[in-house]
Amino acid sequence: MADEPKPEGGAAEPGKPEAPKAAPPKPAAAGAAAHAGGHAPAKPPAPMASTPWEGELPLRLKERFGDLITQCATYLGQNFLVAKPDAVIPILEFLKLEADFDYLVDITAVDYPNRAERFDLVYVLYSFARNERARIKTMVADGAKPPTAVNVHTGANWLEREVFDMFGIQFAGHPDMRRILLPEEWEGFPLRKEMSIIQQDDRWVRENLGIESGQ
Amino acid sequence: MPDATFLDTTELVLNMGPQHPSTHGVLRVILKLDGEKVIGTECVIGYLHRGVEKIGENRTYQQFAPYVDRMDYVAAVSNGLGYCLAVEKLLNIEAPPRAQVTRVILTELNRIASHLLWLGTHALDIGAITPVFYCFREREEVLKIFENYCGARLTTHAFRIGGLQYELYDGFEEQVKAFCDMFLPKVDEYEELLTNNRIWVARLKGVGILSGDECKEFGVTGPVLRAAGVKWDLRKAQPYSGYEQYDFEIPTGQNGDTYDRYVVRMQEMRQAVRIIRQAVEKIPSGPIGKTPKVIKPATGEVYVSIEAPKGELGYFVVSDNSTQPYRVRVRPPSFVNLQALDRMVRGGLVADVVAIIGTLDIVLGEVDR
């Protein structure tokens, strides 16, 4: 997460057709990646070329939460902050009550299996009064139980259930921590990176659908 | 209810769906009833889960574009627009003006098509048989425009990352203008049938109230939020694709009930026509944009959302500097809005559940993804 500026990370240039990336990949390599099923880039990618988030709100947040917020940044004009897992709910509360971020747009996760704290947990917020968006990002380890946001935003209920369903992240204090899209007896968490796209719970499929494979 | 009765009363658990026509797909609602009164609900969803987000991680950016049409399949053009805008944001590019105006026209036509499908089926749920035929008749004209433009009627894949695939066909403007001229009197016709219809009003007024604060609490957006009096539309609040150039109103209601949601959607169709009429007059000449052969965005993540017919449709896309998205998250308006169903039906009558599901305007393909 270095704030190393990149030549392409600057201002938008409307109508510029080519991707803002210097070296175009060999078509053969791109094709092979598309067919590999999994998603394993050969070398670790360069970090996000974000710049510091300027303004009054990040200062207030820093003042209030101090070291619990590790980064306040902007990428392509979108503000986000990175916080320690325990600080997320107090930050959500603070933003809701004292900065008008009263609409929790989304909660989702991203899996980085090679990292010690393998999941990014992402909260997307919006403020009607400010007409402004912000994202809160935190990193949680597999098996860690981040606290639920249901007591701050009622709408977090199903969103957290979906994160649990897809990634297996349990939320502590959630009133109804069950799967939401997949069957309750299903085993495995499909959006984890070790799950291939055609992998399924064979036992469930056999027992409930009476077929060997759904593929 | 009198204190003494010779009948025992017990709570009844009723399964509605997943094969119930008025659940608009495969939604199962488990209702806990006390007589005719709903005292609790639980939604069982996921019957149409296809793992769209997982598919996204295993396809290139271009390959994934047609998949998004299969989420909210009655508003496929909106899904495609949101996805294209998200990837364009990640690439830090913008579609050329001609493509942007065309996108607005097609997206607004799709809004009309989506609202027409909602109106027809909603009226059918309430017991009015006629409107569904009228609505499908007009929707057909929109689908014909889509078919002429890109060959597909429903899952159109009309847009490409960076612009459009196809140039507009000869006679596009005329056909769109003719549609607008034909369509507005038809809206009057629907309103004549329904707006002051005693049965319609009796079934909808005061039913399934969701206040503005409750909407914000649940994250409910779109016509449901506006019917509760919150004047918020992403096309105005955070314009994309050049929406700031068009003159239009955000219709709102006051009561947040099923009737107001009906009124808001009817007004939105009129406003959509207004936008289309302005846009079709000023389609600029110039390039329609070219999809980059290889899309390989710099490492980073963006959240981009649009005002889909059903509410805020967002895409959270994470790039690891490869040709495939590292993660695509879809923020589906139907899924989030459906969560408020329990709040809306609790304490009401079982017959109103049908009206409220209809008025939420959910598409299960998008709820389940």
Side-chain angles (χ1 to χ4, degrees):
Chain A
M1 293 292 158
D3 288 341
E4 162 199 32
K6 277 194 173 184
E8 315 81 37
E13 204 176 317
K16 196 176 139 215
E18 66 269 14
K21 208 48 221 169
K26 292 179 210 89
H35 289 290
H39 195 293
K43 58 175 172 56
M48 177 158 42
S50 55
T51 52
W53 173 8
E54 313 279 350
E56 155 262 355
L57 188 61
L59 290 178
R60 270 169 72 196
L61 282 162
K62 274 280 186 191
E63 190 185 339
R64 174 74 179 263
F65 294 97
D67 290 344
L68 293 172
I69 295 177
T70 49
Q71 194 191 3
C72 288
T74 297
Y75 183 67
L76 294 174
Q78 300 190 345
N79 300 326
F80 66 94
L81 57 94
V82 184
K84 300 263 166 62
D86 290 341
V88 169
I89 304 306
I91 293 173
L92 283 174
E93 241 162 3
F94 173 81
L95 286 173
K96 181 182 177 183
L97 298 174
E98 292 177 43
D100 291 322
F101 281 86
D102 47 354
Y103 165 25
L104 175 70
V105 181
D106 199 8
I107 301 177
T108 190
V110 188
D111 183 15
Y112 297 94
N114 299 326
R115 221 170 56 183
E117 292 163 319
R118 69 180 281 183
F119 299 111
D120 265 4
L121 208 52
V122 183
Y123 298 76
V124 185
L125 295 169
Y126 177 80
S127 160
F128 287 99
R130 294 162 166 261
N131 187 22
E132 205 180 300
R133 282 183 197 288
R135 290 199 301 269
I136 303 175
K137 209 162 81 161
T138 189
M139 287 160 214
V140 294
D142 194 7
K145 291 189 177 179
T148 177
V150 169
N151 301 323
V152 189
H153 296 279
T154 315
N157 190 326
W158 281 22
L159 296 168
E160 287 179 347
R161 280 179 69 188
E162 193 182 337
V163 170
F164 166 64
D165 197 358
M166 295 294 147
F167 291 92
I169 302 172
Q170 298 234 17
F171 289 87
H174 190 285
D176 189 18
M177 196 78 269
R178 287 179 298 145
R179 286 190 182 275
I180 188 162
L181 293 175
L182 295 176
E184 273 181 51
E185 318 80 43
W186 190 271
E187 281 183 17
F189 301 105
L191 282 179
R192 290 188 173 205
K193 289 289 178 185
E194 70 263 20
M195 286 285 182
S196 94
I197 189 169
I198 57 164
Q199 199 170 340
Q200 61 183 11
D201 181 355
D202 291 323
R203 190 185 54 82
W204 191 92
V205 170
R206 198 166 49 241
E207 286 175 7
N208 290 279
L209 305 180
I211 52 174
E212 273 310 306
S213 167
Q215 301 297 334
Chain B
M1 187 161 294
D3 287 341
T5 170
F6 57 89
L7 289 174
D8 283 337
T9 58
T10 53
E11 285 170 3
L12 175 75
V13 173
L14 181 73
N15 259 303
M16 185 171 156
Q19 306 296 344
H20 190 286
S22 60
T23 57
H24 295 240
V26 275
L27 166 69
R28 176 174 163 217
V29 187
I30 304 169
L31 298 165
K32 201 172 179 190
L33 303 175
D34 176 10
E36 276 204 76
K37 206 171 119 192
V38 180
I39 54 176
T41 68
E42 190 188 327
C43 288
V44 182
I45 57 175
Y47 293 94
L48 278 182
H49 180 62
R50 292 147 291 169
V52 167
E53 294 173 9
K54 187 77 182 177
I55 294 171
E57 293 174 11
N58 287 275
R59 297 286 177 273
T60 64
Y61 285 94
Q62 297 96 321
Q63 284 173 335
F64 183 55
Y67 282 93
V68 299
D69 288 6
R70 273 88 184 153
M71 294 187 304
D72 180 0
Y73 38 77
V74 300
V77 181
S78 292
N79 291 308
L81 177 64
Y83 177 69
C84 289
L85 289 174
V87 179
E88 285 163 12
K89 175 89 183 163
L90 206 52
L91 291 168
N92 211 354
I93 60 174
E94 223 174 75
R98 185 173 172 83
Q100 290 199 2
V101 175
T102 311
R103 283 175 172 189
V104 167
I105 295 170
L106 292 174
T107 311
E108 290 304 317
L109 283 171
N110 201 186
R111 188 181 311 276
I112 291 173
S114 171
H115 280 5
L116 281 174
L117 192 100
W118 156 79
L119 178 65
T121 51
H122 183 41
L124 198 60
D125 289 345
I126 307 290
I129 310 293
T130 316
V132 71
F133 299 110
Y134 288 8
C135 291
F136 271 69
R137 182 183 65 192
E138 273 72 76
R139 181 169 170 267
E140 182 65 24
E141 299 306 315
V142 177
L143 298 188
K144 275 180 190 162
I145 296 175
F146 291 162
E147 189 176 8
N148 286 344
Y149 174 66
C150 63
R153 290 158 51 87
L154 200 66
T155 46
T156 48
H157 193 203
F159 309 139
R160 298 296 188 275
I161 296 158
L164 308 170
Q165 173 80 16
Y166 309 109
E167 193 40 89
L168 293 175
Y169 60 88
D170 289 340
F172 174 81
E173 284 96 332
E174 290 71 31
Q175 197 176 1
V176 170
K177 279 181 198 162
F179 169 78
C180 290
D181 295 341
M182 175 278 287
F183 182 64
L184 278 187
K186 302 290 183 194
V187 182
D188 297 337
E189 201 173 293
Y190 312 144
E191 293 222 51
E192 258 169 54
L193 280 173
L194 296 171
T195 305
N196 294 316
N197 180 316
R198 279 184 68 178
I199 303 171
W200 185 252
V201 173
R203 284 298 307 276
L204 301 192
K205 271 244 160 105
V207 169
I209 294 175
L210 199 66
S211 72
D213 287 341
E214 283 173 311
C215 286
K216 289 177 187 173
E217 194 185 320
F218 280 101
V220 169
T221 46
V224 184
L225 175 69
R226 290 189 281 275
V230 181
K231 199 166 185 162
W232 187 76
D233 187 315
L234 268 173
R235 292 173 292 174
K236 286 271 193 204
Q238 300 192 333
Y240 50 88
S241 209
Y243 267 108
E244 65 277 5
Q245 303 161 31
Y246 307 104
D247 188 24
F248 65 101
E249 307 283 328
I250 308 175
T252 52
Q254 293 108 41
N255 307 320
D257 61 358
T258 305
Y259 187 80
D260 277 10
R261 290 189 279 270
Y262 155 76
V263 172
V264 163
R265 289 202 180 91
M266 299 307 276
Q267 292 302 323
E268 277 187 18
M269 289 199 274
R270 296 179 192 275
Q271 295 299 327
V273 170
R274 201 167 145 194
I275 296 170
I276 295 167
R277 279 186 165 153
Q278 294 168 50
V280 84
E281 288 300 336
K282 58 170 179 191
I283 303 177
S285 54
I288 56 167
K290 197 160 161 273
T291 314
K293 278 249 161 50
V294 176
I295 295 183
K296 204 178 164 199
T299 306
E301 47 197 49
V302 291
Y303 175 83
V304 174
S305 59
I306 63 160
E307 186 71 35
K310 288 158 185 76
E312 176 174 348
L313 170 71
Y315 289 86
F316 177 69
V317 188
V318 181
S319 163
D320 64 345
N321 193 17
S322 72
T323 52
Q324 293 167 300
Y326 189 75
R327 168 96 172 95
V328 190
R329 157 70 182 171
V330 185
R331 190 265 182 203
S334 293
F335 177 84
V336 178
N337 291 2
L338 181 60
Q339 193 177 178
L341 178 73
D342 183 75
R343 182 72 64 91
M344 293 163 85
V345 300
R346 211 175 265 253
L349 298 176
V350 63
D352 293 338
V353 175
V354 168
I356 294 168
I357 292 174
T359 191
L360 271 176
D361 191 18
I362 49 164
V363 163
L364 271 298
E366 185 180 69
V367 173
D368 298 343
R369 284 156 288 136

